[in-house]
Amino acid sequence: MATPPRSVSDTLALLSRGQYVSDRSLATAIYLALTLNRPLFLEGEAGVGKTEIAKVLAETLGRRLIRLQCYEGLDLASAVYEWNYPRQMIEIRLAEGGSESKDTVEEEIFTDRFLIKRPLLQALEPSVEGPPVLLIDELDRTDEPFEAFLLEVLSDYQITIPEIGTIKADHPPIVIITSNRTREIHDALKRRCFYYWIDYPSAEREIEILKLKAPAAASSLSREVVAFVQKLRKTQDLFKLPGVAETIDWTNCLVALDRVALDPETVNNTLGVLLKYRDDLERVAGEEAERLVGEARTAAASIPG
């Protein structure tokens, strides 16, 4: 288990060891969240590296990563706990043939050994590795009532189970919450967190990311890819702009095709790696792609790296 960072510079170094390219403002938010035991709420477009932060922290700090993937209709049974009803029924059947009283059986079946622990409850359990990293991913996909339940967890790091009582963490987990902002998260939950907006990276930072995540790519190809993607984000009215994840995937695909520079034919043949909607593909493919390739070649010359 690694020692938590003791400064913003240590946090930058920690992220760097996990091959995460960060600026100082993001490292500051992470350092404060770790130091003050506060959840870190990360918002931004899909594919900008929000989820990756939790993975990197778990890896570099030597902690267990517990991930709660949110979705519409998420309930307590999937997120917190549920009782193992089949085992409880077996226990009741066995007790019926014995001398145990009804009250005794009831007490026994509502104990820890019949409890199925889901991610939120698991995150409160003590561990020899230290408090785990709890990733609550894409919270904006859940229904609003689920947010209300999270208030107890994020305020006091405890969960109340009616049959057992209140379970409280000895040491708070490291909590990372992400949202793609498909809907607004309630202020009451945000107040319990430190907030940070992760934007699309600059061209220089995206080049640094490709050096780590697509090391086999030629320097000239990486610069042209970044210039092309940056042009898409700034000049094209797309339904879904490509994130850093798509930039990495596209670069690795071009490397697999033995390309060292962009050309219109290859770009048109591989646009589906970069863009995920038909309307966006139709808007960019063909002559527009050829024009963007030309502009990217020119712009690439001015990008360091």
Side-chain angles (χ1 to χ4, degrees), residues 228 264 288-300:
F228 187 95
E288 184 65 11
E290 185 173 354
R291 182 184 70 80
L292 288 170
V293 168
E295 292 182 1
R297 287 172 179 166
T298 302

Side-chain angles (χ1 to χ4, degrees), residues 55-212:
K55 295 179 180 179
V56 167
L57 288 177
E59 178 185 350
T60 53
L61 293 174
R63 307 293 178 86
R64 179 186 177 194
L65 175 64
I66 299 175
R67 179 172 182 169
L68 175 62
Q69 181 62 54
C70 298
Y71 55 87
E72 186 177 352
L74 179 67
D75 58 10
L76 297 187
S78 300
V80 190
Y81 75 94
E82 65 178 324
W83 292 106
N84 191 332
Y85 296 116
R87 285 193 61 193
Q88 286 177 321
M89 290 302 298
I90 292 172
E91 190 75 8
I92 292 171
R93 295 297 184 211
L94 291 173
E96 285 177 348
S99 58
E100 293 181 284
S101 67
K102 180 180 178 181
D103 291 341
T104 302
V105 173
E106 185 175 342
E107 288 179 4
E108 289 184 353
I109 64 173
F110 288 111
T111 56
D112 192 71
R113 68 192 182 102
F114 293 101
L115 193 64
I116 301 175
K117 299 175 182 179
R118 301 303 186 194
L120 292 182
L121 189 55
Q122 292 173 17
L124 302 184
E125 293 184 309
S127 172
V128 294
E129 301 170 344
V133 176
L134 172 61
L135 169 62
I136 303 175
D137 209 14
E138 298 183 325
L139 180 61
D140 53 318
R141 293 182 178 271
T142 63
D143 304 314
E144 290 188 14
F146 184 75
E147 288 183 43
F149 171 78
L150 280 180
L151 296 180
E152 180 187 17
V153 179
L154 300 181
S155 295
D156 304 313
Y157 296 105
Q158 66 180 31
I159 289 171
T160 301
I161 300 175
E163 299 87 350
I164 294 179
T166 300
I167 297 175
K168 186 177 179 66
D170 294 334
H171 301 284
I174 298 169
V175 181
I176 305 294
I177 304 172
T178 74
S179 168
N180 295 333
R181 208 176 183 184
T182 58
R183 70 170 178 85
E184 287 293 335
I185 302 301
H186 199 277
D187 288 344
L189 189 141
K190 285 187 175 182
R191 283 198 301 270
R192 287 158 173 78
C193 308
F194 290 153
Y195 177 87
Y196 193 88
W197 172 268
I198 299 185
D199 208 346
Y200 293 114
S202 65
E204 291 78 8
R205 188 166 152 225
E206 202 156 15
I207 286 290
E208 292 300 314
I209 293 170
L210 288 184
K211 287 180 179 179
L212 294 173

